[in-house]
């Protein structure tokens, strides 16, 4: 691990770091906020997965999480959204695929499978480093995300309910296998057999028996991607009669931006803190 920057914030410490990733075949950047309480004891961890075109920096700069995270004693980890570097394959003119659009999966199709292994990076590589360097209580982990990152948070929680104790999302892509802006990416990363896509689709994971106790989802009614890309009502349908409690809050007049995310960030942090203890 290399330190890119560290600065005091709300009594805690906001840092940006890089690590050599075997999964992604490149250096991966991530940020970690440690609350003041981390000086005295191990603290629970909340992961924030960002959306298409973003890096670790978007929520770090605009998410407004540090004040309350410090008060609640939460470590906030923000990974990047894809591998980076000149040697990493890309479609530069396609913002919905390639760099910035890893979709939190492990690609199986060439040439993407050599580097686009974000699931392994976030679930295996990065937690080991976080546990070893940041006073993190890895028995108390929550996960949340925005848009593509909301998709990642939901699917990771459904596949690993023993690891994650809480999960929330801002405007998640709940059914990427059929959404306009994600279906082409799944086919390029995973191939044409749609059966292989199911483990990366929250609604289909639930159909196939995956369970998680409860989700908090906020969605803006003025979001331009609502009808074709996000469609939270599909998650509502999937959760119905499964025992999964879904708190879906349609927020009047809010769009897809960090103005929306920062407005409700405190609610999500409090949700996670209450469930992480």
């Amino acid at each position: 691990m290399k330190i890119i920057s560290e600065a005091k914030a709300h009594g805690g410490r906001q840092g940006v770091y890089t690590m050599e990733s075997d999964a992604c075949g490149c250096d991966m950047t991530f940020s970690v906020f440690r609350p003041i309480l981390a000086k005295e004891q191990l603290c629970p961890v909340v992961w924030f997965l960002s959306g298409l075109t973003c890096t670790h920096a978007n929520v770090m700069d605009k998410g407004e999480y540090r004040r309350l995270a410090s008060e609640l004693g939460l470590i906030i980890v923000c990974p990047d959204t894809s591998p980076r570097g000149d040697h990493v394959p890309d479609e530069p003119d396609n913002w919905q695929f390639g760099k910035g659009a890893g979709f939190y999966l492990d690609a199986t199709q060439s040439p993407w499978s050599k580097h686009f292994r974000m699931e392994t990076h976030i679930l295996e590589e990065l937690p080991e480093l976080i546990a070893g360097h940041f006073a993190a209580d890895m028995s108390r982990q929550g996960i949340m995300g925005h848009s593509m990152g909301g998709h990642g948070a939901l699917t990771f929680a459904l596949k690993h309910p023993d690891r994650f104790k809480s999960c929330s999302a801002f405007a998640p892509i709940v059914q990427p296998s059929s959404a306009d802006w994600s279906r082409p990416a799944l086919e390029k990363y995973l191939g044409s057999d749609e059966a292989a896509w199911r483990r990366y689709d929250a609604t289909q994971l639930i159909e196939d028996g995956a369970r998680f106790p409860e989700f908090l989802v906020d969605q803006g009614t003025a979001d331009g991607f609502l009808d074709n890309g996000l469609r939270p009502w599909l998650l509502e349908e999937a959760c119905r009669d499964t025992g999964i409690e879904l708190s879906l809050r349609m927020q009047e007049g809010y769009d897809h931006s960090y103005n929306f995310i920062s407005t409700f960030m405190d609610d999500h942090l409090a949700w996670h803190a209450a469930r992480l203890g």
Side-chain angles (χ1 to χ4, degrees):
M1 187 182 73
K2 296 179 181 179
I3 300 172
I4 303 302
S5 66
E6 286 188 329
K8 188 174 183 179
H10 295 280
R13 203 79 179 162
Q14 176 67 67
V16 178
Y17 312 91
T18 63
M19 66 170 293
E20 294 181 7
S21 169
D22 290 333
C24 297
C26 63
D27 286 350
M28 294 294 290
T29 305
F30 61 98
S31 71
V32 180
F33 174 74
R34 284 168 285 174
I36 190 171
L37 190 62
K39 297 178 181 178
E40 304 171 4
Q41 64 186 58
L42 298 181
C43 293
V45 178
V46 177
W47 298 78
F48 187 96
L49 307 184
S50 291
L52 287 163
T53 75
C54 292
T55 69
H56 69 283
N58 295 75
V59 69
M60 185 182 75
D61 293 340
K62 298 182 285 188
E64 300 182 20
Y65 58 77
R66 280 176 282 268
R67 177 193 58 80
L68 189 59
S70 193
E71 291 179 13
L72 296 173
L74 298 174
I75 293 172
I76 309 295
V77 180
C78 307
D80 201 349
T81 56
S82 78
R84 308 278 176 175
D86 293 340
H87 64 295
V88 174
D90 191 23
E91 290 186 0
D93 297 327
N94 183 1
W95 64 274
Q96 297 171 333
F97 187 74
K99 294 179 187 177
F103 277 93
Y104 302 104
L105 51 75
D106 280 359
T108 59
Q109 304 301 300
S110 180
W112 317 106
S113 56
K114 183 176 181 180
H115 297 283
F116 284 82
R117 300 180 62 221
M118 291 299 295
E119 183 174 33
T120 296
H121 171 61
I122 291 174
L123 293 182
E124 297 182 18
E125 287 185 327
L126 201 47
E128 183 176 351
L129 189 148
I130 298 299
H133 293 272
F134 294 101
D137 182 353
M138 303 304 281
S139 69
R140 294 185 291 162
Q141 295 185 65
I143 190 164
M144 61 177 170
H146 169 230
S147 193
M148 178 185 72
H151 137 75
L154 293 172
T155 57
F156 286 172
L158 284 164
K159 287 186 283 188
H160 300 279
D162 54 337
R163 176 184 300 195
F164 298 108
K165 310 303 182 186
S166 57
C167 179
S168 70
F170 299 93
I173 307 173
V174 304
Q175 195 177 85
S177 63
S178 63
D180 291 350
W181 62 351
S182 50
R183 182 179 173 84
L186 294 190
E187 184 169 9
K188 291 176 183 178
Y189 284 136
L190 302 172
S192 59
D193 182 3
E194 295 186 25
W197 306 2
R198 297 185 70 85
R199 66 185 304 270
Y200 298 109
D201 184 304
T203 62
Q204 292 182 344
L205 280 167
I206 293 170
E207 286 178 12
D208 293 342
R211 295 293 181 264
F212 197 77
E214 55 184 341
F215 297 121
L216 169 64
V217 173
D218 275 318
Q219 172 64 62
T221 62
D223 191 322
F225 302 111
L226 177 57
D227 291 332
N228 294 325
L230 306 173
R231 304 168 299 164
W233 49 86
L234 297 179
L235 180 63
E236 196 170 34
E237 292 172 7
C239 289
R240 190 175 297 136
D241 302 324
T242 64
I244 299 175
E245 294 184 20
L246 172 63
S247 178
L248 173 59
R249 309 191 307 181
M250 300 300 296
Q251 303 293 358
E252 186 65 32
Y254 284 91
D255 60 15
H256 200 68
S257 72
Y258 274 88
N259 296 311
F260 159 61
I261 296 170
S262 62
T263 300
F264 300 102
M265 179 64 79
D266 281 5
D267 289 356
H268 284 245
L269 293 178
W271 167 277
H272 288 278
R275 286 151 183 79
L276 296 176

